[in-house]
């Protein structure tokens, strides 16, 4: 069966993928539908949804919530994706080296990894962003720094079990170099769990970014969902829409990514493939 | 009426997308009290699922009995409730499995696990249960039963674990014992002992034994009657004499013909050119110890091992598990580093060479691995698996491809295999691919580590013939590691017997089989299953008329 067929067997995953496409579309076309700066004061403050020309209402300063969501989608998806890529890359390098060579190298790298894992990740992220200047780069770095250990542990485990497999030993007897064995032989065999964990990490990254922005640690020049919720939290009872719509956007996106991740897991897991 | 178990028209259905609709189809079989019935077949024949169907242990709902009956003392087990089956299991029908390590609970002592059997099925005082358990362990001839009761499964050897399993299975004096390949994971000498034990216990208790196996040698040793299965169908049943002596079905005939016999191949002249000398090789494994000191365990896996390999000959290294035979092979191909000694290839000592210095010599010694399912990268196409070796040593893509196609032909595979992935091939075909990969670098020495032990007998014979052909055609020298003396007899010119890291005896196959000098070698030879039966067969066949 093709990958797509296997993936499509999980209906939730297909729905998730659709939502994700919609969100990406929204992020890409944000500038077309909402050409104005989402920070600009566009009209009457505190307009309920559908009034004064605001589809989803406006906040206490008269900023368009719908424009904020569209532009915020770009931020959230971008940060989620970038942070995950960085984390997965670092995690694979560390995990591969530790798992393949074992011994002292493994010990050192894993103790180093544990140092990162002992600090609660969100608090660690706050700390990192507070030390660096709040900017989109520092947020990406902070999220990546707190997420790579999970990937490293996973990759290490896979490498540990694969390095003693006979096909890897066959490569040794051919005289293949370590780098080639790691990249060409072992890595492709442990990519599926990495892809799965990576797809789920995008969701976590979006949540962390929103949390940071909510606490005022986001990039002040870039609109994001977390920032919108943070700005609207004092008005929750008088203007519910300011917090609610960005909140729904986060919920739906994270859910969609989780569903897709789940679907990829099902499709890549050969043991599930046999079942119906 | 006296039938203990009567299976009629049994169909076990497989899930819809499987290769065939039924795992077992239209099976008719019966088991009488006090007899051993062997169900024989190659992998995928449905023999294990038959056993599970009787026990009510099929992986429902994917696999289930769709038709037919399994009548045990007038009661149809196919219709019985789960509740009733649970009562029967353990007390009336019990089972022993292939791998005693996984069948026993690793965190419970043997005593507790035997005790459980009594507690679940009968009311007895703790004291009584304990004395019964002790008695059982004595019956299965475990040394020091008191101590064994307190032992955890990992503290026992494979054979002892299987004895403990048998004790558990026989705890409540069941009427039927189902044994699913109970000796496959054991060494030959242990296998012989466990088979003897099963036979004794069966005779003492009058139990009906349903014995699942793939090995005709075991059948010859233990069975009263035999049932041969192929692709879910029973192709032949009869007494052991009938089936082994004059098999009527062509499949049975082929299977029996494929069983390697203990008659060594005719001796060939040995070349005077020695391609490799291994001298005084030493390798120890250490375990435990750790960061804060503590005493680790030291195992001498290779202890002063010296062997010579002449051009064009096959040297067998034979021994039981833990004898160090694989370690020696791995040291020779430099997957492991030996601590002392010499590995002389021509005039070069390979042992002390580092990775870079070793590289030019790598291509001369290649290896064929045991497990055809683990030895090929599942994500790489066959073409690349074979061609990447030559390409690393500077062949162009075109040359490598031509060479690969030629090799595929030599090992008897279609050229279309080039574009395919390992999972599309059967075990035997994969082993052929593994051989092609090893040959791609045009080695002088081929080290084969148990290359056929994971394969069915009929496939084994093919691979052994192939290895033989290739050795002659390419003028290779071969080191052949095996635990199976029958296989060794077929392919090896000379044999080195290893025990606990030491080579205890080396000599030409025929001499060694006729006149083994060491006691251990004699024990090994005596333990080969079906030895008497199959050697008689050969003698009979050799006599004309």
């Amino acid at each position: 069966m093709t990958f797509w067929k296997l993936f499509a067997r999980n209906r939730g995953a297909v729905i998730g993928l659709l939502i994700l496409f919609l969100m990406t579309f929204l992020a890409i076309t944000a500038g077309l539908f909402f050409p104005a700066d989402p920070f600009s004061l566009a009209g009457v403050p505190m307009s309920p949804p559908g009034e004064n020309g605001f589809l989803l209402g406006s906040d206490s300063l008269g900023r368009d919530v719908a424009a904020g969501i569209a532009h915020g989608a770009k931020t959230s998806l971008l940060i989620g994706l970038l942070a995950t890529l960085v984390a997965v890359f670092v995690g694979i390098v560390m995990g591969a080296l530790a798992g393949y060579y074992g011994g002292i190298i493994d010990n050192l790298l894993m103790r180093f990894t544990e140092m990162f894992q002992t600090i609660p990740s969100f608090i660690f992220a706050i700390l990192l962003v507070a030390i660096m200047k709040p900017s989109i780069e520092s947020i990406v770095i902070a999220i990546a720094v707190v997420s790579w250990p999970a990937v490293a542990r996973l990759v290490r485990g896979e490498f540990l079990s694969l390095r003693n497999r006979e096909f890897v030993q066959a490569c040794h007897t051919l005289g293949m170099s370590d780098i080639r064995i790691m990249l060409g032989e072992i890595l492709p065999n442990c990519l599926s769990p990495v892809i799965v964990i990576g797809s789920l990490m995008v969701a976590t990254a979006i949540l962390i970014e929103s949390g940071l922005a909510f606490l005022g640690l986001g990039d002040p020049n870039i609109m994001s969902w977390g920032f919108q919720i943070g700005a609207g939290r004092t008005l929750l009872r008088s203007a519910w829409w300011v917090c609610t719509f960005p909140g729904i956007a986060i919920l739906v996106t994270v859910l969609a990514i989780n569903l897709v991740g789940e679907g990829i897991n099902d499709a890549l897991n050969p043991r599930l493939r046999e079942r119906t | 009426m006296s039938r203990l178990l009567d299976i009629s028209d049994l169909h076990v259905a497989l899930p819809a997308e499987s290769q065939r609709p039924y795992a077992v189809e239209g099976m008719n079989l019966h088991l009488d009290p006090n007899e051993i019935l062997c169900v024989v077949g190659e992998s995928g024949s449905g023999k294990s699922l038959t056993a599970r169907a009787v026990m009510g242990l099929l992986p429902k709902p994917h696999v289930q009995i769709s038709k037919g009956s399994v009548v045990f003392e007038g009661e149809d087990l196919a219709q019985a409730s789960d509740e009733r089956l649970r009562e029967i299991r353990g007390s009336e029908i019990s089972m022993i499995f292939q791998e005693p390590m996984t069948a026993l609970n690793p965190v419970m002592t043997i005593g507790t696990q035997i005790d459980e059997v009594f507690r679940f099925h009968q009311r007895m005082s703790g004291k009584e249960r304990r004395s019964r358990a002790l008695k059982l362990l004595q019956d299965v001839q475990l040394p020091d039963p008191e101590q064994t009761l307190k032992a955890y499964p990992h503290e026992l050897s494979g054979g002892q674990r299987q004895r403990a399993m048998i004790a558990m299975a026989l705890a409540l004096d069941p009427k039927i014992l189902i044994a699913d390949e109970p000796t496959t994971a054991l060494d030959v000498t242990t296998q012989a002992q466990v088979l003897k034990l099963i036979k004794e216990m069966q005779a003492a208790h009058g139990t009906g034994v349903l014995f699942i196996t793939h090995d005709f040698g075991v059948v010859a040793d233990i069975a009263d009657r035999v049932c041969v299965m192929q692709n879910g169908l029973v192709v032949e049943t009869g007494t052991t004499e009938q089936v082994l002596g004059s098999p009527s079905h062509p499949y049975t005939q082929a299977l029996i013909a494929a069983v390697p016999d203990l008659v060594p191949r005719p001796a060939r002249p040995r070349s005077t050119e020695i391609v490799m000398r291994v001298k005084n090789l030493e390798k120890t494994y250490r375990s435990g110890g750790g960061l804060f000191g503590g005493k680790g365990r030291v195992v001498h896996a290779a202890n002063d091992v010296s062997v010579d390999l002449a051009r064009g000959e096959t040297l067998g290294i034979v021994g039981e598990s833990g004898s160090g035979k694989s370690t020696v092979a791995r040291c020779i191909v430099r997957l492991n580093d030996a601590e002392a000694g010499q590995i002389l290839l021509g005039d070069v000592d390979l042992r002390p060479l580092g990775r870079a210095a070793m590289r030019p010599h790598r291509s001369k010694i290649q290896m064929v691995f045991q497990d055809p399912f683990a030895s090929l990268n599942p994500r790489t196409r066959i073409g690349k698996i074979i061609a990447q070796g030559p390409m690393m040593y500077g062949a162009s893509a075109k040359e490598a491809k031509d060479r690969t196609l030629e090799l595929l032909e030599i090992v008897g595979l279609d050229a279309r295999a080039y574009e395919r992935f390992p999972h599309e091939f059967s075990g035997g075909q994969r082993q052929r691919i593994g051989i092609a990969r090893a040959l791609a670098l045009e080695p002088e020495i081929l080290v084969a580590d148990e290359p056929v032990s994971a394969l069915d007998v009929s496939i084994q014979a093919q691979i052994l013939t192939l290895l033989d052909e290739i050795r002659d055609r390419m003028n290779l020298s071969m080191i052949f590691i095996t635990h199976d003396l029958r296989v060794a007899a077929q392919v090896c010119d000379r044999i080195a017997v290893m025990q606990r890291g030491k080579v205890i005896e080396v000599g030409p196959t025929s001499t060694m089989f006729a006149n083994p000098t060491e006691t251990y070698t004699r024990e090994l030879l005596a333990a080969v299953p079906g030895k008497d039966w199959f050697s008689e067969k050969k003698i009979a066949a050799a006599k004309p008329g």
Side-chain angles (χ1 to χ4, degrees):
Chain A
M1 261 194 277
T2 59
F3 176 79
W4 171 246
K5 263 191 186 162
L6 287 163
F7 181 81
R9 230 166 37 178
N10 184 336
R11 209 173 298 164
V14 179
I15 295 172
L17 196 65
L18 265 176
I19 296 174
L20 217 53
F21 272 132
L22 271 174
M23 281 296 170
T24 320
F25 179 75
L26 192 66
I28 293 170
T29 55
L32 279 177
F33 290 111
F34 304 97
D37 183 355
F39 283 102
S40 65
L41 311 181
V44 188
M46 309 272 276
S47 311
E51 285 177 31
N52 303 325
F54 291 119
L55 182 63
L56 299 176
S58 67
D59 70 1
S60 59
L61 295 175
R63 292 178 290 213
D64 189 349
V65 173
I69 288 179
H71 285 271
K74 199 156 64 184
T75 321
S76 288
L77 291 178
L78 197 69
I79 288 181
L81 214 65
L82 272 179
T84 304
L85 282 178
V86 176
V88 166
F89 178 76
V90 176
I92 286 182
V93 171
M94 300 290 256
L97 290 174
Y100 185 78
Y101 287 107
I104 292 178
I105 296 179
D106 181 30
N107 250 321
L108 288 177
L109 288 180
M110 281 301 114
R111 295 305 85 76
F112 182 67
T113 312
E114 273 158 20
M115 246 162 54
F116 283 82
Q117 287 190 302
T118 45
I119 311 170
S121 59
F122 189 63
I123 293 174
F124 195 17
I126 293 177
L127 184 76
L128 287 171
V129 177
I131 293 170
M132 300 181 281
K133 231 171 42 208
S135 70
I136 200 155
E137 295 87 17
S138 64
I139 292 171
V140 167
I141 293 171
I143 296 176
V145 164
V146 301
S147 341
W148 70 266
V151 185
R153 289 217 156 259
L154 177 86
V155 173
R156 170 181 175 267
E158 294 284 322
F159 266 64
L160 267 182
S161 78
L162 285 167
R163 70 162 181 192
N164 284 327
R165 291 279 281 280
E166 287 183 344
F167 72 85
V168 176
Q169 299 188 334
C171 295
H172 282 294
T173 61
L174 290 177
M176 203 182 271
S177 65
D178 285 349
I179 280 283
R180 239 183 110 173
I181 292 178
M182 281 195 259
L183 295 181
E185 302 288 327
I186 304 184
L187 192 58
N189 280 294
C190 63
L191 270 188
S192 359
V194 172
I195 290 172
V196 172
I197 200 179
S199 65
L200 297 179
M201 259 167 60
V202 176
T204 324
I206 289 175
L207 280 179
I208 296 180
E209 189 275 331
S210 305
L212 288 172
F214 176 82
L215 293 176
L217 288 166
D219 191 327
N221 304 313
I222 291 172
M223 180 53 75
S224 91
W225 295 337
F227 169 81
Q228 286 186 292
I229 298 176
R233 74 178 196 281
T234 47
L235 316 167
L236 196 54
R237 277 191 294 177
S238 47
W240 56 269
W241 56 88
V242 184
C243 283
T244 307
F245 292 113
I248 291 176
I250 294 176
L251 175 83
V252 169
T253 312
V254 169
L255 185 72
I257 294 172
N258 273 306
L259 286 172
V260 171
E262 196 77 357
I264 296 176
N265 187 24
D266 290 357
L268 289 180
N269 191 338
R271 255 170 287 163
L272 282 173
R273 218 174 277 179
E274 308 299 324
R275 297 192 206 152
T276 16
Chain B
M1 289 309 281
S2 71
R3 280 183 185 166
L4 199 52
L5 186 73
D6 207 336
I7 300 175
S8 50
D9 195 30
L10 179 71
H11 286 66
V12 176
L14 287 171
E17 69 272 30
S18 312
Q19 282 183 346
R20 57 178 201 243
Y22 296 102
V24 178
E25 200 173 346
M27 177 187 237
N28 290 303
L29 198 66
H30 66 92
L31 179 70
D32 292 326
N34 202 11
E35 78 164 347
I36 298 182
L37 172 66
C38 273
V39 180
V40 203
E42 297 194 287
S43 47
S45 62
K47 54 190 193 304
S48 280
L49 280 176
T50 307
R52 272 157 211 277
V54 174
M55 284 295 270
L57 287 177
L58 289 175
K60 282 178 207 168
H62 307 292
V63 180
Q64 54 191 348
I65 298 177
S66 60
K67 204 176 149 197
S69 62
V70 180
V71 178
F72 168 66
E73 294 192 318
E75 182 178 0
D76 187 0
L77 298 182
Q79 309 293 332
S81 66
D82 286 351
E83 192 74 9
R84 176 77 190 122
L85 282 172
R86 222 176 357 257
E87 268 173 44
I88 293 174
R89 277 200 292 265
S91 61
E92 308 276 341
I93 305 179
S94 60
M95 188 159 179
I96 47 181
F97 298 89
Q98 174 172 349
E99 184 39 81
M101 190 65 218
T102 50
L104 290 167
N105 187 338
V107 298
M108 280 162 75
T109 61
I110 301 292
T112 321
Q113 297 189 51
I114 296 180
D115 195 53
E116 267 187 339
V117 182
F118 292 125
R119 268 189 297 136
F120 289 157
H121 290 281
Q122 276 169 4
R123 280 163 177 268
M124 253 189 257
S125 70
K127 222 174 164 183
E128 199 181 336
R129 291 201 304 260
R130 194 181 141 77
S131 70
R132 286 273 296 268
L134 265 181
K135 170 86 174 47
L136 275 170
L137 292 184
Q138 274 160 14
D139 287 349
V140 294
Q141 296 150 25
L142 273 166
D144 199 355
E146 289 276 353
Q147 207 53 48
T148 312
L149 277 184
K150 288 183 224 144
Y152 287 93
H154 70 266
E155 295 172 312
L156 303 179
S157 72
Q160 288 172 338
R161 280 197 286 268
Q162 199 59 287
R163 280 168 197 272
M165 272 299 295
I166 294 172
M168 271 171 74
L170 296 178
L172 295 172
D173 213 348
K175 299 196 175 71
I176 297 179
L177 175 68
I178 297 177
D180 189 0
E181 303 256 14
T183 57
T184 309
L186 305 175
D187 283 325
V188 255
T189 46
T190 323
Q191 161 165 297
Q193 291 161 9
V194 170
L195 286 179
K196 191 162 152 266
L197 174 72
I198 290 177
K199 199 148 190 171
E200 281 169 15
M201 298 298 278
Q202 179 267 335
H205 297 257
T207 322
V209 177
L210 190 67
F211 195 103
I212 317 283
T213 183
H214 67 279
D215 189 336
F216 268 101
V218 172
V219 174
D221 277 353
I222 199 170
D224 297 314
R225 283 194 307 127
V226 185
C227 159
V228 184
M229 289 187 75
Q230 181 191 20
N231 297 332
L233 297 168
V234 174
V235 296
E236 188 163 355
T237 32
T239 64
T240 311
E241 293 288 295
Q242 283 168 0
V243 175
L244 291 187
S246 47
S248 61
H249 194 277
Y251 179 70
T252 320
Q253 288 164 357
L255 273 185
I256 292 177
V259 176
D261 53 66
L262 257 185
V263 181
R265 55 193 265 151
R268 302 181 310 155
R270 187 176 182 219
S271 162
T272 48
E273 186 193 353
I274 302 292
V275 286
M276 177 181 263
R277 282 175 213 277
V278 176
K279 283 185 184 167
N280 313 101
L281 202 68
E282 297 275 346
K283 169 81 186 168
T284 48
Y285 287 109
R286 281 160 220 282
S287 58
L291 195 59
F292 301 105
K295 279 230 169 128
R297 218 161 60 94
V298 179
V299 179
H300 230 108
N303 188 354
D304 197 16
V305 170
S306 302
V307 283
D308 289 347
L309 183 66
R311 180 167 301 281
E313 82 168 342
T314 301
L315 171 71
I317 300 183
V318 176
E320 303 198 310
S321 53
S323 63
K325 56 189 191 303
S326 283
T327 304
V328 171
R330 295 169 59 90
C331 286
I332 291 173
V333 293
R334 292 295 313 277
L335 278 173
N336 286 359
D337 293 327
E339 284 128 21
Q342 290 182 308
I343 303 168
L344 289 169
L345 179 71
D347 298 326
V348 192
D349 183 7
L350 301 180
R351 192 194 64 80
L353 296 186
R355 286 192 66 137
M358 182 62 203
R359 218 174 157 247
H361 303 287
R362 280 269 186 215
S363 64
K364 292 179 193 146
I365 310 176
Q366 286 295 303
M367 187 157 183
V368 177
F369 293 86
Q370 171 175 9
D371 184 352
F373 292 88
S375 63
L376 304 178
N377 189 341
R379 301 270 170 135
T380 313
R381 288 177 201 279
I382 306 305
K384 195 184 161 207
I385 288 178
I386 301 173
Q388 65 186 0
M391 283 173 76
M392 269 188 318
Y393 286 86
S396 70
K398 173 89 174 51
E399 283 162 7
K401 182 167 183 180
D402 291 345
R403 176 95 184 110
T404 304
L405 291 175
E406 186 192 332
L407 282 166
L408 283 175
E409 200 194 315
I410 291 175
V411 298
L413 287 173
D414 199 285
R416 274 173 299 179
Y418 192 86
E419 288 296 326
R420 289 160 71 187
F421 284 98
H423 68 84
E424 300 174 54
F425 296 90
S426 69
Q429 287 171 324
R430 287 183 200 211
Q431 203 55 299
R432 287 171 192 271
I433 296 165
I435 293 171
R437 169 178 59 194
L439 295 176
L441 292 181
E442 303 180 29
E444 289 176 24
I445 297 169
L446 196 62
V447 178
D449 188 1
E450 301 264 15
V452 295
S453 64
L455 305 174
D456 281 327
V457 249
S458 53
I459 312 290
Q460 270 190 13
Q462 293 169 12
I463 297 290
L464 291 177
T465 321
L466 174 69
L467 283 172
D468 241 16
E469 277 171 23
I470 287 168
R471 190 200 54 198
D472 291 345
R473 182 165 172 174
M474 305 194 164
N475 201 16
L476 284 172
S477 309
M478 198 159 25
I479 295 180
F480 194 101
I481 315 289
T482 183
H483 68 282
D484 191 337
L485 281 171
R486 291 174 289 181
V487 170
Q490 280 204 312
V491 291
C492 299
D493 299 308
R494 288 194 313 135
I495 290 182
V497 180
M498 282 191 75
Q499 184 189 24
R500 288 190 221 106
K502 284 198 169 183
V503 173
I504 57 165
E505 189 170 359
V506 195
T509 311
S510 46
T511 329
M512 186 176 290
F513 275 48
N515 293 307
T517 50
E518 296 289 326
T519 331
Y520 180 67
T521 315
R522 274 199 287 275
E523 277 171 22
L524 277 183
L525 281 167
V528 169
K531 177 172 175 281
D532 303 332
W533 206 92
F534 281 95
S535 45
E536 274 166 32
K537 178 187 89 173
K538 287 291 151 174
I539 292 163
K543 280 180 196 154

